[in-house]
Amino acid sequence: YCVEFRTESLSQHCALETRPHARWMQYLREGHTVCVACQPPAMSTATQRCSGDGHNAHGDKILHWEAIGNSQCQGTWKKIRQLEHCSCPLVHSFIFT
């Protein structure tokens, strides 16, 4: 499954990332909608959910995220909705780890 979030805030360290494999961090923006896929092995076998997917978050609950490979690139987002059938666009799409 996938979850759509609206980015509320992010650290300035995301924009400063220049390593080729992590350059995607430069394109994160406040107010953008991002789509995050929950796939094995990030999915718990017991709950069939990914940690941090905002399962119980509704309304205006602010959730925290951190980019893999650059712990200084972090921020907050709000859950918009969960999609049982993923249809994430090629841009602004991520995977829970």
Side-chain angles (χ1 to χ4, degrees):
Y1 66 94
C2 292
V3 183
E4 288 182 347
F5 296 95
R6 184 179 64 247
T7 307
E8 297 292 313
S9 68
L10 60 143
S11 66
Q12 64 185 13
H13 297 283
C14 302
L16 302 175
E17 183 60 69
T18 58
R19 294 174 294 167
H21 70 281
R23 219 171 268 148
W24 60 268
M25 294 178 202
Q26 295 175 0
Y27 301 101
L28 292 169
R29 297 286 183 271
E30 290 180 10
H32 278 190
T33 298
V34 297
C35 186
V36 188
C38 177
Q39 304 172 350
M43 187 182 291
S44 164
T45 53
T47 65
Q48 293 295 296
R49 306 202 67 81
C50 283
S51 175
D53 70 357
H55 177 58
N56 294 319
H58 301 289
D60 288 338
K61 183 164 184 169
I62 294 179
L63 305 166
H64 295 269
W65 59 267
E66 180 179 302
I68 295 294
N70 181 351
S71 61
Q72 293 183 320
C73 177
Q74 54 187 290
T76 59
W77 56 20
K78 290 182 181 176
K79 180 180 175 181
I80 298 172
R81 64 182 174 151
Q82 179 175 320
L83 305 167
E84 293 307 319
H85 301 287
C86 293
S87 58
C88 290
L90 293 176
V91 295
H92 302 131
S93 297
F94 305 97
I95 299 175
F96 285 107
T97 58

